[in-house]
Structures are given as structure tokens and as C-alpha cells.
Amino acid sequence: MPRYLSLVRIDENSTPAEGPSEELMRKMGELIEEITKAGVMLDTAGLTPTAQGTRVHWEGGRISVTDGPFTESKEVVGGYALMQCKDKAEALEWTKRFLQVHEEFWTVTCEVREIAEG
């Protein structure tokens, strides 16, 4: 059965300073429980803000290291979900449900990609 990685992209400038609401966390917990019981969710997590991240870049045979925050980024990867689904349509359906858990003021984009096997 194919595996899919959903990269959760967020605009750090539009997220609430106090973090996700209790209502969002409750709904997210219920969805994660449902998707786990369905045997779809393999792993999921949110990531710390880019201010705590570091980029390691390779170009022209040289490595450069830059600590966050990364001011040139509008959207950043804020989390991920690793799912095992029967097909891409199922992965997209679970991803849509994930997005719909958020309140309307959130701006969140998920990039769903099948993991190349073999």
C-alpha cells in the first residue's frame, strides 16, 4: 500500500501568538485518533518555529549554515503527516479533513506527495 507525506505549510506571521486554540487541539486530537484507528496514520507531528531552526545548504561544493528565523520565507513547513493509504484520493480526503479542523482565520497549505518506494 502506498505511503504519502503531507507537508503542512503555514504562514508563521498569520498564526495566533498564543498558539492553537483548545478547540482546535481537541478537534485535531479526535481526527488523529480516528485516522490512527483506520490504520492510515503512521506518524505525525508539528515542528518548532523557524526561529529555532537551522538551514544547511550545499552549493558549488561548499556548505553554509544559517540559523533561523528565515525572513525570506512566506510559508514554512510547520508539520507533517505520514500516511499509508489505498491511493492518492484517500490521502487527499484525509488531508482535506485535517485542514477543515482549523478555524477560518488560519492559512494552511498541505503538499501531499507519494513516497517513492524501491
Side-chain angles (χ1 to χ4, degrees):
M1 191 177 300
R3 294 181 302 157
Y4 295 88
L5 181 64
S6 178
L7 296 169
V8 181
R9 297 184 183 278
I10 61 170
D11 179 351
E12 287 186 316
N13 296 320
S14 70
T15 58
E18 67 277 6
S21 67
E22 289 184 28
E23 178 71 5
L24 171 58
M25 296 308 293
R26 183 188 60 76
K27 288 180 177 178
M28 190 66 67
E30 291 172 358
L31 179 62
I32 290 173
E33 183 177 337
E34 180 183 349
I35 193 171
T36 300
K37 285 182 178 175
V40 170
M41 184 66 75
L42 300 177
D43 191 24
T44 187
L47 301 176
T48 57
T50 58
Q52 299 172 28
T54 301
R55 286 184 177 163
V56 182
H57 181 72
W58 173 258
E59 183 177 2
R62 303 183 84 177
I63 286 182
S64 62
V65 179
T66 307
D67 290 330
F70 312 112
T71 55
E72 71 279 6
S73 299
K74 174 147 177 59
E75 288 186 337
V76 299
V77 177
Y80 70 92
L82 179 61
M83 301 177 284
Q84 189 166 29
C85 303
K86 64 183 178 195
D87 54 27
K88 188 173 183 179
E90 182 183 18
L92 293 175
E93 188 57 37
W94 283 111
T95 300
K96 290 175 186 174
R97 290 192 55 195
F98 165 79
L99 291 172
Q100 291 168 334
V101 166
H102 293 76
E103 293 99 344
E104 290 184 7
F105 61 83
W106 282 87
T107 301
V108 184
T109 302
C110 289
E111 179 179 328
V112 178
R113 298 174 62 182
E114 185 173 349
I115 295 175
E117 304 287 350

